[in-house]
Amino acid sequence: EHGPSATLARMNRALVSRRIEPRFATVFYGVLAPDGGFAYASAGHPPPIVVRRGGAIERLSTGGPMLGVFAGAEFPGFTCRLEPGDSVVAFSDGVTEATRLDGSDFGEERLVAAARANRGLAPTALVDALFTAVRDFAGDVPPRDDITVAVVRMR
């Protein structure tokens, strides 16, 4: 039993067995193979996006519930194929829920637009561009939650 699905199931069992609070987490776990195969599973985490080299956008399938909540929870595994230049953009809900003074959220549409517009940047620069887009949107409103972004690109 290896791979993202089995790993999340083991993590879930470990968290459920603990008797301390809080004992839950959201996780997205993916493994990129040299041939472009991307195996992944999710536990209550926002579904990442795939930004194709040409600008097409795909959402990765949702998975199971948060880790540590349900003892028998399952975390289905999925796979997709990445071509050279394709990127996986994983993000916390703090990104899409970032707000500005008028109360509006940054949202997924703005995230997708920023990722597509900056897809030619190196992964670290893409992460910086996404952070900048969220900061510029929110202005002086402090974040209510963590703002986390990770980018993996097939070379």
Side-chain angles (χ1 to χ4, degrees), residues 2 8 27 30 37 48 50 54 70 82 90 94-95 98 103 112 118 140 146 150 152:
H2 297 288
L8 292 185
V27 175
V50 175
F70 305 106
L82 300 179
V95 172
V112 166
N118 293 287
D140 293 331
D146 70 286
V152 174

Side-chain angles (χ1 to χ4, degrees), residues 105-148:
D105 288 347
F106 185 71
E108 290 183 25
E109 285 185 28
R110 285 184 183 86
L111 174 65
V112 166
R116 180 182 284 135
N118 293 287
R119 69 185 181 274
L121 298 176
T124 54
L126 176 54
V127 168
D128 290 342
L130 296 175
F131 283 147
T132 298
V134 172
R135 251 191 323 271
D136 289 351
F137 173 83
D140 293 331
V141 177
R144 297 181 309 216
D145 201 352
D146 70 286
I147 296 177
T148 304

Side-chain angles (χ1 to χ4, degrees), residues 18-95:
R18 296 186 65 146
R19 302 282 187 239
I20 59 173
E21 297 295 330
R23 60 172 190 201
F24 64 88
T26 68
V27 175
F28 176 82
Y29 177 41
V31 177
L32 179 58
D35 68 356
F38 187 67
Y40 64 94
S42 183
H45 205 72
I49 59 174
V50 175
V51 182
R52 299 290 180 184
R53 177 183 56 217
I57 301 291
E58 296 174 27
R59 293 300 304 249
L60 297 183
S61 303
T62 57
M66 293 184 293
L67 294 179
V69 179
F70 305 106
E74 294 184 7
F75 305 92
F78 300 92
T79 59
C80 72
R81 173 120 346 250
L82 300 179
E83 300 297 329
D86 293 347
S87 299
V88 176
V89 179
F91 55 93
S92 64
D93 58 359
V95 172

